[in-house]
Amino acid sequence: MTVRVRYAPSPTGPLHIGSARTVLYNWLFARQHGGKMILRSEDTDRERSDVKWEQEICQSLRWLGLDWDEGVDAGGDCGPYRQTQRLELYRDYIQRLEQQGRTYYCFCTPEDLEARRQQSRYEHGGYDGACRQLSAQEVARRLEQGESAAVRFRVPRDTKVEFNDLVRGDIAVETAEISDFVILKKDGIPTYNFAVVVDDVTMGISHVIRANEHLINTPRQILLYQALGEQPPAFAHISLILDKSGRKMSKRMGDTAVDAYAQKGYLPEAIVNYIALLGWSPEDEQEIFSLEELVAEFDMGRVSRSPAIFDVKKLDWMNNQYIMQTDTGRLADMAMEVLAGQGVEVARGREWLRQVIEVVRDELANLAQLAEFLPEFTEEEVEISPQAMESLTWEHSGLVLDQFISRLKQLDSLTSDSVGEMLKQLNKDIKKQTGSGGKTVFMPVRAALSGQTSGQELYLLVPLLGRELALKRIDFCRRAATDSGVNNE
Ligand code: GLU
């Protein structure tokens, strides 16, 4: 069998993390089986749908590296791939059901339905079947009078819908629990349950992998497949994603849109890796997976039935792992964009930012956090710790700093090599002059450059500060030491 899967978003908002996981599982399944991935836009909710969202969803998918073989923006033999462009097709299929007596017109108004809903024998207030028995003459008369009608599917009675869900196992639902549902609304627009079946049939979908919230619709859809004489696809319903407090993931508790993570400088491969593990567990303890490894390892049979918990701390940890192993050139390109998006100007440019990343990346959960580190390398005035202040008062600190300054001024170019060499020589010379080196030299230099007694390697810090700022810092720190009354000169 050729595997054909689809992702069918309603373009009413950005791509949610949970939907990204749905796409990923579809995508992995397709790639594992040499199948095709289709992207289709379920845009029949005209009020809420907007192509702007469709484009944004496509963009987020591309950013994640999840491509599709057919569909919106890709074309293909089963198009068009937007439901609003397929209305003719749905009408043909409605007619097919009509001809087999599987449908009836329903003239009930929302008010009628509401008034009777309380008495409905269906658990969730389904339809009581009032128009099921209308005679052909009455229907014809009312249509002629211009009364508008929806089309309902005649659910077969006294039978069961049974199917095996690839995640949830065997499922059986009595049709007594399913009321006759609308397949074509009064405005001529098909309902989700009907359009999705027509689309999945005509697009040759073999596996429907989707969110668990649609499990309730599946028996209805299977009834439609049966009525149309079509073989239903295999179904896999993936569990909800909850936040740490056990509630459905919501904006209130943190970012839910993939785009928000992109803007904060999470790496797409970290997001993919993280969401792959939201509901799927590999056989061993491995946690870091490339997309290729996921294609090889992912197993629909190991997708959990219980809800997954979204833990941003875990995502931060994972993103840091990726930041540590990613080429700093690429990180710098991404970070320039991320910081620009946050309104942070990187006056000294991309190469300088790349060097900053090299120095601080082990502390980054995402690239937007660079903004908090930049002042360390750009501000003239720094906070000075008591230990740093004290080291500036040591007996030889004045001499050390004077000599450091004059050598710094003489260096042709500031590179980690040239600065490293200069510091080594300075240490040697001071030792010769005073009898002590090491801490006596490096501590006051560090204190005067950063206000701290620990931190980045000096040979990395100095080139990042640059000559001008390094000199200003030293001046600032020395003055602060003088003002605090512990003059060392
Ligand atoms: N448009 C539906 C949604 O966004 C997709 C339903 C399906 O995959 O069948 O939830």
Side-chain angles (χ1 to χ4, degrees):
M1 175 186 38
T2 338
V3 165
R4 288 174 64 83
V5 297
R6 85 301 194 276
Y7 174 55
S10 309
T12 55
L15 184 73
H16 186 276
I17 281 281
S19 309
R21 183 193 56 168
T22 302
V23 184
L24 176 64
Y25 287 7
N26 273 284
W27 189 91
L28 291 172
F29 191 77
R31 293 295 169 259
Q32 275 182 340
H33 294 89
K36 296 272 187 256
M37 170 89 189
I38 291 134
L39 180 72
R40 165 175 96 211
S41 180
E42 301 207 330
D43 62 345
T44 46
D45 182 342
R46 284 181 158 150
E47 261 170 31
R48 294 174 58 228
S49 297
D50 194 328
V51 283
K52 158 187 120 173
W53 293 122
E54 185 186 294
Q55 284 156 3
E56 198 172 312
I57 290 167
C58 289
Q59 197 186 329
S60 290
L61 290 174
R62 286 197 192 97
W63 181 77
L64 288 169
L66 303 176
D67 54 354
W68 53 99
D69 306 291
E70 287 176 32
V72 172
D73 265 14
D77 295 340
C78 304
Y81 292 92
R82 284 190 193 98
Q83 288 189 330
T84 48
Q85 295 168 346
R86 298 168 67 78
L87 298 179
E88 281 291 311
L89 183 71
Y90 303 131
R91 267 175 224 130
D92 289 351
Y93 273 79
I94 295 270
Q95 254 172 20
R96 276 209 220 175
L97 290 179
E98 231 162 31
Q99 280 157 10
Q100 295 163 35
R102 302 302 304 269
T103 63
Y104 60 89
Y105 286 104
C106 172
F107 297 93
C108 297
T109 63
E111 295 75 34
D112 295 338
L113 293 172
E114 198 41 53
R116 300 201 313 264
R117 200 140 269 172
Q118 305 304 328
Q119 296 129 39
S120 164
R121 61 198 161 94
Y122 297 101
E123 207 185 318
H124 301 292
Y127 186 59
D128 60 2
C131 292
R132 208 178 218 245
Q133 317 300 346
L134 294 182
S135 67
Q137 290 86 332
E138 174 156 14
V139 170
R141 182 183 57 77
R142 289 172 76 166
L143 287 176
E144 218 160 274
Q145 283 173 353
E147 213 175 315
S148 60
V151 177
R152 281 187 190 270
F153 179 66
R154 217 179 264 276
V155 172
R157 296 292 152 215
D158 305 322
T159 176
K160 259 200 259 196
V161 181
E162 290 175 293
F163 64 102
N164 179 270
D165 188 277
L166 296 179
V167 173
R168 322 203 85 79
D170 286 332
I171 292 180
V173 177
E174 305 276 343
T175 55
E177 290 170 29
I178 305 173
S179 70
D180 294 345
F181 53 93
V182 171
I183 54 176
L184 191 71
K185 292 184 281 185
K186 286 187 175 176
D187 61 5
I189 302 293
T191 57
Y192 157 69
N193 274 318
F194 185 72
V196 79
V197 167
V198 174
D199 289 346
D200 286 340
V201 164
T202 52
M203 293 181 188
I205 300 302
S206 64
H207 293 76
V208 167
I209 303 164
R210 65 184 168 199
N212 198 35
E213 63 192 356
H214 290 293
L215 184 62
I216 189 164
N217 294 314
T218 306
R220 289 176 180 76
Q221 293 172 17
I222 291 177
L223 288 171
L224 290 170
Y225 280 99
Q226 290 168 348
L228 290 167
E230 300 284 350
Q231 175 71 24
F235 291 95
H237 288 91
I238 320 168
S239 294
L240 271 180
I241 300 180
L242 304 178
D243 62 30
K244 282 196 93 175
S245 60
R247 279 185 293 244
K248 198 173 162 183
M249 224 181 132
S250 72
K251 250 195 181 148
R252 218 165 27 85
M253 299 293 289
D255 292 315
T256 55
V258 168
D259 187 49
Y261 290 93
Q263 282 177 21
K264 283 192 178 160
Y266 285 81
L267 271 66
E269 51 272 52
I271 299 280
V272 164
N273 191 157
Y274 181 70
I275 60 179
L277 296 172
L278 273 182
W280 166 72
S281 46
E283 276 182 55
D284 56 18
E285 302 285 287
Q286 185 176 344
E287 290 196 287
I288 302 295
F289 288 89
S290 67
L291 205 48
E292 295 73 43
E293 285 173 312
L294 286 174
V295 172
E297 300 287 326
F298 179 75
D299 177 359
M300 196 60 92
R302 295 184 61 86
V303 171
S304 168
R305 289 183 199 185
S306 351
I309 307 291
F310 187 85
D311 177 1
V312 81
K313 281 215 179 81
K314 181 80 192 278
L315 171 61
D316 283 353
W317 169 82
M318 193 167 274
N319 200 44
N320 174 263
Q321 299 287 305
Y322 277 89
I323 287 178
M324 291 306 288
Q325 69 182 36
T326 299
D327 170 64
T328 51
R330 181 178 158 222
L331 293 177
D333 289 339
M334 288 180 73
M336 287 299 281
E337 251 178 70
V338 167
L339 292 172
Q342 315 252 327
V344 177
E345 199 201 346
V346 183
R348 292 177 60 188
R350 176 209 177 264
E351 174 50 26
W352 175 81
L353 186 64
R354 192 191 65 72
Q355 290 172 30
V356 173
I357 292 171
E358 216 150 64
V359 171
V360 304
R361 66 167 148 178
D362 57 334
E363 295 181 65
L364 294 177
N366 60 54
L367 297 173
Q369 286 180 356
L370 275 169
E372 296 159 31
F373 287 89
L374 293 188
E376 250 180 69
F377 307 103
T378 54
E379 298 290 309
E380 187 178 326
E381 301 188 358
V382 285
E383 231 175 87
I384 307 172
S385 76
Q387 296 91 321
M389 196 70 105
E390 202 238 296
S391 74
L392 293 172
T393 71
W394 292 347
E395 187 189 349
H396 303 302
S397 294
L399 174 75
V400 168
L401 289 174
D402 285 343
Q403 293 208 8
F404 176 77
I405 289 169
S406 71
R407 287 167 201 226
L408 182 64
K409 284 181 177 164
Q410 280 161 26
L411 276 189
D412 284 342
S413 72
L414 294 197
T415 64
S416 52
D417 283 348
S418 69
V419 172
E421 199 48 49
M422 179 266 267
L423 286 166
K424 223 156 78 188
Q425 195 57 46
L426 175 69
N427 186 39
K428 248 193 213 162
D429 294 349
I430 294 284
K431 196 162 181 190
K432 224 183 269 167
Q433 293 168 51
T434 68
S436 52
K439 194 173 161 189
T440 309
V441 176
F442 299 124
M443 195 71 101
V445 170
R446 177 183 295 287
L449 285 171
S450 68
Q452 302 297 318
T453 49
S454 63
Q456 339 300 345
E457 296 291 349
L458 287 174
Y459 66 88
L460 295 174
L461 176 64
V462 175
L464 279 180
L465 292 175
R467 203 184 322 257
E468 195 185 333
L469 183 58
L471 292 172
K472 283 184 180 163
R473 277 265 175 96
I474 296 172
D475 189 45
F476 172 80
C477 291
R478 283 179 115 177
R479 264 191 291 125
T482 312
D483 293 349
S484 76
V486 279
N487 193 355
N488 62 343
E489 282 169 310

